[in-house]
């Protein structure tokens, strides 16, 4: 068993793509990704895209980066745009947008690749000099219009995304990224010195594509969320908000809150007196993050690694889903040694760099932000209530009966497909096959009359968990084969898995199918699903687990099923 991901990347561009393919392989390998690349010949991107028998299409990339240079797109207009009328410049903009969009749509038509197009850099140079902003459609406004119009065109395109190349150049500086000596010697538009930084920026799309996004940030408190040590300096003397050092911690907290609001879980792991530390969170006027922003709080004198294991268990997430922030290098080394799965961030000694360190991380990127992501903080708050309620009741069956669990079974459509794909990419623990599917593949399944693809929206007395279950079934004449069956870790163990499998079997029986078959493909992480088929009543036949639809079908009487038919 191995968790090494495989990925095929196509790299197309209008200039010399120096060393980008090798840098991709190197960085991917560091992230346990086996990456194969295809790079087009010098300025051969048009030929590769327009010829459906090209080597590019034969390579079958899963992810394509199309990097076009603004000088190449504008041609002579880069230097003499003032020689044509503003009307002609406007026509030029529309033509260039059409040309680029047609190329993108050709890739969509001829491949299953997701496409990432770089936008165009606004140069510091303009033939108009300081009058550029005064002219109707000056050079920078031409580029701005092209960028805006392309961005608007692709908003509804599920397979096409924009990489902010202009932002990349702004971050590192045009005088650094663009080296005239390398440009004149080999049409190199991205300095060799900045190739690694460029590929690191593109890696955010790799993270999103493979679903290797981190789910949780675990934070120390003293000298991490505020300056100073609460147990020594006291409530009034910690640095938080009123001076340069204090303002740096406020900025860090604001960026953490922004991540929390888009679905990243926050937790605390602090060696401290609980009452001292929690008072800061509850009462300090400059504290941005409040108690309810944290889905798990461990403020005690335990070993930090032990606390991390308890956080992982309580949140029901893998250690490899956690990012750990702690100013203390000894604690960081302890966690690195005892749990290498955790991403440990080496914080700089200067707290003014904390926010920048967080902002530059690519580990939190996803293709589509669903309603479940945005509501995640609320959902984990409700999960706390469920756990507390469960601890009050000795009889687990009574607990389940009192939960008022409802499952709404929904078809794959434009609203649910992004979440279905996201779950196949990210769910590891209760996932019988761990097959990963992009949105385009899910859409294809949904159009196939020989496939059943549905998802489950689960709610109970404490709140709505959102879409947290998915199954994909391949229909054959006398048997159905379960291709995918998964549940989010938040709802495992409450009978939802049995209720969904029962629905599959009942539907198969109603359609005259004699056997429902499934296979368990083991990974390092999906142990919780290992006995699922067997405990439901499936019998092993060669590599399959098989259920005869004439058998008694296990039921989950405490769950109400709602079907959208």
């Amino acid at each position: 068993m191995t968790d090494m991901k495989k990925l095929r990347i196509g790299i197309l561009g209008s200039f010399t793509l120096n060393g980008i393919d090798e840098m991709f392989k190197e960085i991917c390998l560091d992230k346990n990704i086996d990456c194969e690349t295809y790079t087009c010949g010098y300025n051969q991107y048009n030929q590769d895209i327009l010829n459906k028998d090209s080597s590019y299409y034969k390579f079958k990339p899963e992810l394509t980066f199309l990097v076009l240079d603004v000088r190449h797109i504008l041609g002579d207009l880069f230097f003499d745009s003032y020689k044509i009328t503003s009307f002609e410049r406007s026509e030029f903009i529309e033509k260039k947008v059409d040309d680029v969009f047609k190329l993108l749509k050709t890739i969509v038509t001829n491949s299953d690749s997701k496409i990432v197009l770089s936008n165009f850099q606004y140069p510091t140079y303009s033939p108009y000099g300081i009058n550029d902003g005064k002219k109707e459609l000056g050079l920078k406004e031409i580029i701005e219009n092209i960028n805006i119009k392309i961005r608007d065109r692709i908003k509804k395109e599920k397979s096409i995304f924009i990489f902010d190349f202009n932002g990349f150049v702004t971050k590192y500086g045009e005088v650094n990224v663009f080296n005239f000596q390398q440009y004149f010697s080999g049409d190199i538009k991205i300095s060799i010195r900045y190739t690694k930084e460029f590929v690191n920026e593109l890696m955010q799309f790799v993270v999103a594509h493979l679903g290797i996004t981190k789910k949780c940030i675990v934070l120390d408190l003293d000298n991490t969320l505020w300056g100073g040590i609460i147990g020594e300096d006291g409530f009034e003397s910690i640095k938080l908000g009123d001076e340069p050092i204090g303002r740096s911690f406020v900025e860090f907290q604001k960026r953490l809150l922004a991540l929390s609001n888009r679905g990243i879980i926050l937790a605390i792991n602090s060696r401290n007196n609980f009452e001292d530390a929690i008072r800061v969170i509850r009462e300090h006027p400059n504290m941005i993050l409040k108690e309810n922003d944290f889905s798990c709080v461990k403020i005690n004198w335990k070993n930090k690694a032990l606390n991390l294991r308890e956080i992982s268990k309580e949140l029901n997430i893998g250690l490899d889903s956690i990012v750990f922030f702690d100013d203390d290098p000894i604690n960081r080394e302890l966690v690195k040694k005892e749990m290498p799965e955790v991403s440990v961030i080496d914080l700089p000694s200067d707290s003014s760099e904390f926010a920048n360190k967080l902002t530059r991380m690519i580990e939190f990127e996803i293709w589509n932000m669903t309603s479940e992501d945005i509501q995640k903080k609320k959902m984990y708050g409700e999960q706390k209530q469920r756990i507390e309620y469960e601890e009050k009741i000795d009889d687990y069956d009574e607990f389940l009966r009192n939960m008022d669990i409802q499952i709404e079974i929904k078809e794959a459509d434009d609203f649910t497909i992004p979440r279905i794909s996201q779950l196949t990419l990210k769910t590891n623990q209760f996932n019988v096959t761990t097959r990963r599917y992009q949105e385009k593949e899910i859409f294809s399944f949904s159009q196939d009359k020989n496939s059943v693809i549905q998802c489950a929206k689960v709610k109970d007395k404490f709140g709505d968990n959102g879409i947290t279950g998915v199954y994909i079934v391949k229909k054959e004449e006398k048997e159905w084969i379960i291709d995918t069956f998964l549940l989010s870790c938040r709802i495992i163990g409450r009978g939802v898995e049995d209720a969904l499998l029962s629905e599959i079997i009942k539907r198969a029986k109603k359609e005259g199918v004699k056997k429902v078959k499934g296979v368990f493909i083991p990974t390092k992480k999906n142990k919780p699903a290992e006995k699922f088929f067997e405990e439901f009543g499936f019998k092993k036949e060669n590599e399959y687990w098989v259920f005869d639809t004439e058998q008694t079908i296990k039921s989950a009487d405490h769950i109400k099923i709602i079907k959208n038919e």
Side-chain angles (χ1 to χ4, degrees):
M1 293 187 293
T2 177
D3 285 337
M4 178 167 265
K5 309 275 187 179
K6 292 183 179 293
L7 182 62
R8 300 169 71 82
I9 296 176
I11 307 164
L12 308 177
S14 60
F15 54 91
T16 302
L17 301 168
N18 49 294
I20 290 174
D21 54 345
E22 291 303 318
M23 187 59 67
F24 258 121
K25 292 175 183 177
E26 179 183 323
I27 294 173
C28 282
L29 190 61
D30 286 342
K31 294 184 178 295
N32 204 31
I33 301 167
D34 180 9
C35 173
E36 294 182 60
T37 60
Y38 172 86
T39 304
C40 74
Y42 171 69
N43 198 22
Q44 297 293 303
Y45 70 95
N46 263 300
Q47 293 90 322
D48 268 343
I49 293 171
L50 297 176
N51 177 10
K52 63 182 180 181
D53 295 319
S54 68
S55 298
Y56 162 69
Y57 289 122
K58 289 176 182 177
F59 177 73
K60 295 183 178 179
E62 301 166 56
L63 190 57
T64 296
F65 293 99
L66 179 56
V67 187
L68 303 179
D69 170 53
V70 69
R71 289 178 177 231
H72 170 81
I73 290 296
L74 296 186
D76 291 340
L77 222 64
F78 187 81
F79 293 103
D80 60 4
S81 55
Y82 53 87
K83 290 185 177 179
I84 62 176
T85 68
S86 61
F87 177 77
E88 289 172 320
R89 292 197 289 272
S90 180
E91 284 189 321
F92 175 87
I93 290 168
E94 293 299 331
K95 182 180 184 305
K96 287 302 174 183
V97 171
D98 283 341
D99 289 346
V100 172
F101 190 67
K102 284 174 184 175
L103 285 175
L104 296 171
K105 290 295 286 184
T106 301
I107 299 175
V108 171
T109 300
N110 294 331
S111 79
D112 291 325
S113 180
K114 273 191 165 67
I115 307 129
V116 178
L117 170 72
S118 63
N119 66 8
F120 299 110
Q121 173 205 352
Y122 304 142
T124 52
Y125 156 86
S126 169
Y128 294 111
I130 63 173
N131 287 287
D132 184 86
K134 291 285 189 180
K135 296 291 183 182
E136 185 176 354
L137 292 180
L139 177 64
K140 294 177 185 178
E141 192 175 352
I142 290 172
I143 298 169
E144 182 180 22
N145 270 261
I146 293 174
N147 279 339
I148 290 171
K149 288 177 182 292
I150 290 176
R151 185 190 65 204
D152 288 345
R153 287 266 195 109
I154 71 168
K155 278 184 178 178
K156 294 182 180 179
E157 297 291 332
K158 294 181 178 179
S159 298
I160 308 173
F161 297 82
I162 292 287
F163 165 61
D164 186 11
F165 181 72
N166 183 66
F168 167 73
V169 175
T170 300
K171 182 185 293 186
Y172 291 101
E174 184 183 61
V175 294
N176 297 315
V177 173
F178 185 80
N179 181 298
F180 273 103
Q181 186 178 39
Q182 292 174 19
Y183 168 56
F184 293 139
S185 64
D187 197 19
I188 296 171
K189 304 289 175 61
I190 300 172
S191 166
I192 294 170
R193 182 182 170 189
Y194 282 87
T195 300
K196 185 172 184 178
E197 283 77 8
F198 177 63
V199 175
N200 270 325
E201 295 277 328
L202 297 182
M203 282 297 296
Q204 60 191 308
F205 298 97
V206 173
V207 168
H209 183 78
L210 293 175
I212 52 177
T213 306
K214 301 298 181 182
K215 298 177 182 178
C216 177
I217 299 175
V218 178
L219 299 142
D220 179 39
L221 295 177
D222 291 332
N223 288 316
T224 302
L225 284 189
W226 56 69
I229 300 172
I230 185 61
E232 296 178 5
D233 300 323
F235 183 88
E236 289 79 13
S237 298
I238 61 168
K239 294 178 172 60
L240 188 60
D242 293 326
E243 68 290 304
I245 293 176
R247 287 196 290 272
S248 70
F249 289 103
V250 168
E251 179 77 9
F252 184 47
Q253 288 195 34
K254 285 180 177 178
R255 300 199 189 194
L256 285 165
L257 182 61
L259 283 172
S260 172
N261 288 337
R262 78 178 222 198
I264 304 303
I265 312 163
L266 301 183
I268 293 173
N269 183 1
S270 172
R271 287 172 60 83
N272 242 314
N273 289 323
F274 180 84
E275 293 301 329
D276 291 339
I278 204 69
R279 184 187 171 204
V280 178
I281 296 169
R282 290 172 178 169
E283 300 178 19
H284 200 288
N286 295 326
M287 189 76 189
I288 302 299
L289 295 170
K290 305 301 182 183
E291 192 171 2
N292 62 2
D293 291 316
F294 299 100
S295 298
C296 188
V297 175
K298 298 292 178 186
I299 302 174
N300 52 44
W301 293 102
K302 293 181 182 178
N303 177 300
K304 289 281 182 91
L306 178 61
N307 273 343
L308 273 173
R309 292 195 188 281
E310 291 183 2
I311 290 169
S312 170
K313 184 178 179 181
E314 285 187 27
L315 296 176
N316 206 0
I317 59 175
L319 289 169
D320 61 345
S321 295
I322 292 175
V323 176
F324 180 52
F325 280 84
D326 194 313
D327 70 293
D328 186 349
I330 295 175
N331 282 324
R332 296 201 300 262
E333 286 305 310
L334 169 71
V335 172
K336 286 179 185 178
K337 183 178 179 181
E338 293 199 16
M339 43 190 67
E341 310 98 314
V342 173
S343 293
V344 179
I345 305 303
D346 288 322
L347 281 176
S349 57
D350 183 354
S351 61
S352 68
E353 290 296 317
F354 286 10
N356 187 45
K357 185 85 171 179
L358 179 67
T359 304
R360 291 198 175 195
M361 292 180 67
I362 65 171
E363 285 82 355
F364 309 115
E365 297 299 341
I366 54 177
W367 282 132
N368 282 292
M369 201 173 299
T370 67
S371 58
E372 283 79 10
D373 294 314
I374 295 169
Q375 295 295 319
K376 195 169 287 182
K377 179 165 60 177
K378 178 175 177 285
M379 290 174 179
Y380 272 95
E382 293 164 352
Q383 185 74 347
K384 276 185 182 179
Q385 293 178 300
R386 291 184 188 97
I387 293 169
E388 291 168 0
Y389 181 64
E390 181 181 345
E391 290 172 350
K392 293 177 182 177
I393 299 177
D394 295 331
D395 187 334
Y396 191 67
D397 289 335
E398 182 187 352
F399 163 73
L400 291 177
R401 286 192 299 271
N402 291 339
M403 285 290 288
D404 300 330
I405 301 173
Q406 293 184 10
I407 300 174
E408 183 181 358
I409 296 177
K410 303 170 77 72
E411 300 293 331
D413 56 27
D414 287 345
F415 297 102
T416 61
I417 284 174
R419 177 61 175 168
I420 291 171
S421 172
Q422 185 186 80
L423 284 170
T424 69
L425 292 172
K426 293 173 65 176
T427 305
N428 294 308
Q429 293 185 62
F430 201 95
N431 191 335
V432 296
T433 58
T434 322
R435 292 183 175 125
R436 312 300 192 184
Y437 293 119
Q438 300 295 329
E439 286 183 39
K440 194 170 183 178
E441 295 169 290
I442 299 295
F443 176 78
S444 178
F445 293 150
S446 72
Q447 301 301 300
D448 182 358
K449 65 180 181 179
N450 292 317
S451 292
V452 177
I453 176 163
Q454 294 179 315
C455 57
K457 187 176 183 181
V458 181
K459 60 182 179 181
D460 57 35
K461 68 187 293 181
F462 291 106
D464 191 339
N465 286 284
I467 295 173
T468 41
V470 169
Y471 52 81
I472 301 171
V473 179
K474 305 297 186 182
K475 298 166 69 172
E476 297 186 6
E477 187 176 350
K478 294 184 179 179
E479 61 185 29
W480 283 10
I481 300 172
I482 297 172
D483 172 273
T484 295
F485 190 100
L486 63 85
L487 259 69
S488 169
C489 56
R490 293 201 303 275
I491 59 169
I492 295 172
R494 293 184 183 142
V496 174
E497 56 270 42
D498 291 338
L500 293 180
L501 189 51
S502 294
E503 286 302 310
I504 294 172
I505 296 169
K506 288 174 184 176
R507 178 171 171 178
K509 184 176 181 178
K510 186 177 180 181
E511 295 188 22
V513 175
K514 300 297 183 185
K515 291 183 178 181
V516 175
K517 299 166 68 174
V519 63
F520 175 74
I521 301 174
T523 69
K524 290 181 179 179
K525 300 176 184 177
N526 70 348
K527 187 78 173 174
E530 182 178 17
K531 301 291 185 182
F532 176 52
F533 289 129
E534 182 180 2
E535 291 175 352
F536 193 92
F538 283 63
K539 305 298 181 186
K540 193 72 182 287
E541 294 182 12
N542 299 319
E543 75 271 27
Y544 284 104
W545 289 96
V546 181
F547 192 95
D548 187 329
T549 58
E550 295 303 318
Q551 291 175 235
T552 301
I553 302 172
K554 192 174 181 179
S555 63
D557 296 332
H558 63 286
I559 294 176
K560 179 181 179 181
I561 302 289
I562 302 169
K563 299 177 186 177
N564 291 326
E565 295 179 338

